[in-house]
Amino acid sequence: MSKVKRLLVGMLIVGAITAATATGTFATFNASTSNAGTVTSGTLLLGNSANGGTACISTADTGAANTITAGNTNTCGVLFTSTLNPTGATSAFLDLTNDGNFNAATSSLTVSACASTPNTVTIAGHTFAGDTVAAPLCNKLQAVIAEVNASNGTTLTGSNCVVGLASGTTPLTGCSYTPTITGGAGSYALGAWNATVTRTSWSTSPSRTPATTATRARTPP
């Protein structure tokens, strides 16, 4: 009987110790790190100034929003305004600028197909035009497009002869005219183009003597 009592007393002591331990203070620890991230869009806006004229950009002003859309384009002024004789030539300078705040990884120059239209003249009520079918103007033209060091400059830089042969001495050192610019369009790589950078191209389009000839009639003896 006495052994049972002692065992119960011992169990009560263990229970009391356990209860005291259960009421102790416990602490937890939480930690974290974070990295902020932002993605910023850029604006790719091209501009050109032909022969020192008013700058033209690649999108039209749409009002207060001035929205620039993908694939934006705008038609600018003409490069050549001269009327050429068969052996004449004309030149033009084009200052090209990436006016945006986005670096272009690649850029290219696209030359559209040559198309000729009659330049008519009216004499005594009759209108005449050249035969652009049998003797198309595009078969009589040659061209060079090159990148130069400055507007109105003549020193080649960058991609040098963009259109034209990389040989010869005229019109620029290291460039010569293409045989003809008959009809065919083409695209020519200009490489990367960083924001706010201006590049100047020099272009000339001389005509050559037509293959046809005219014979003056002699006065009969």
Side-chain angles (χ1 to χ4, degrees):
M1 186 69 174
S2 60
K3 291 181 179 181
V4 174
K5 289 181 180 180
R6 281 197 300 270
L7 181 59
L8 291 175
V9 172
M11 291 178 66
L12 291 174
I13 293 172
V14 172
I17 293 173
T18 303
T21 304
T23 59
T25 302
F26 294 91
T28 59
F29 180 79
N30 296 317
S32 65
T33 62
S34 63
N35 296 88
T38 59
V39 176
T40 302
S41 63
T43 298
L44 185 60
L45 184 65
L46 302 182
N48 78 58
S49 175
N51 301 310
T54 303
C56 170
I57 60 174
S58 58
T59 188
D61 188 344
T62 59
N66 295 318
T67 304
I68 298 175
T69 58
N72 58 87
T73 183
N74 200 15
T75 301
C76 302
V78 298
L79 282 177
F80 304 108
T81 58
S82 301
T83 301
L84 296 182
N85 292 319
T87 58
T90 185
S91 299
F93 290 89
L94 191 63
D95 293 325
L96 306 170
T97 306
N98 180 355
D99 286 314
N101 53 16
F102 187 83
N103 293 340
T106 59
S107 60
S108 62
L109 168 69
T110 300
V111 178
S112 59
C114 178
S116 60
T117 57
N119 186 15
T120 60
V121 60
T122 301
I123 302 173
H126 299 279
T127 299
F128 301 89
D131 188 351
T132 59
V133 177
L137 177 65
C138 292
N139 288 340
K140 306 297 184 285
L141 293 177
Q142 296 175 308
V144 162
I145 300 174
E147 187 172 354
V148 293
N149 60 330
S151 182
N152 301 318
T154 57
T155 303
L156 296 179
T157 61
S159 57
N160 299 324
C161 302
V162 181
V163 175
L165 305 177
S167 62
T169 58
T170 57
L172 296 173
T173 300
C175 279
S176 64
Y177 295 115
T178 58
T180 62
I181 54 171
T182 306
S187 183
Y188 306 88
L190 298 178
W193 202 321
N194 290 340
T196 71
V197 171
T198 297
R199 297 165 69 173
T200 299
S201 67
W202 183 92
S203 178
T204 184
S205 180
S207 61
R208 59 191 177 96
T209 303
T212 56
T213 59
T215 301
R216 187 188 316 180
R218 293 186 303 159
T219 303

